[in-house]
Amino acid sequence: MATTNKILILEAKLENGIDFDTIVNTYPAWKRAGYMVKHGEKARFITKIWKPCKRKNKETGKDEKRLYLVNAGFFTKEQCEKIK
């Protein structure tokens, strides 16, 4: 069974006692959305998620897309503030 990032994040939220409706994101995702994580805040939870990566196949020379499991820290919206 393939596990998506959405499922991995939902399971981690439930394991850490975070409400289903609470919005969480990684540091770079909050930054792209126009928010900044407040100074001194720690990630509410860390979990593994799938990260896409391009890699050249040595035999064919073509780019291949691959997925790797990486650790990612997640912050809630309450831990962030809007960038002015």
Side-chain angles (χ1 to χ4, degrees):
M1 180 173 118
T3 304
T4 65
N5 281 343
K6 211 174 209 181
I7 293 170
L8 293 171
I9 294 166
L10 178 60
E11 287 175 349
K13 283 170 70 172
L14 294 174
E15 287 173 5
N16 289 283
I18 298 172
D19 188 36
F20 174 77
D21 296 329
T22 303
I23 298 169
V24 295
N25 246 327
T26 60
Y27 182 88
W30 281 121
K31 193 171 180 180
R32 283 191 304 272
Y35 289 85
M36 183 175 73
V37 175
K38 294 176 187 172
H39 182 72
E41 291 288 343
K42 305 286 185 206
R44 287 289 305 267
F45 64 91
I46 297 173
T47 190
K48 291 198 178 284
I49 60 171
W50 293 104
K51 180 178 179 181
C53 180
K54 284 186 182 177
R55 192 174 189 187
K56 275 204 189 262
N57 184 322
K58 291 180 182 178
E59 295 173 8
T60 63
K62 294 182 181 179
D63 282 341
E64 291 181 342
K65 290 183 182 178
R66 293 183 177 221
L67 294 172
Y68 294 94
L69 273 175
V70 296
N71 284 328
F74 286 84
F75 299 86
T76 64
K77 193 169 184 178
E78 291 77 32
Q79 294 177 284
C80 302
E81 54 192 21
K82 190 79 171 161
I83 296 174
K84 297 176 185 176

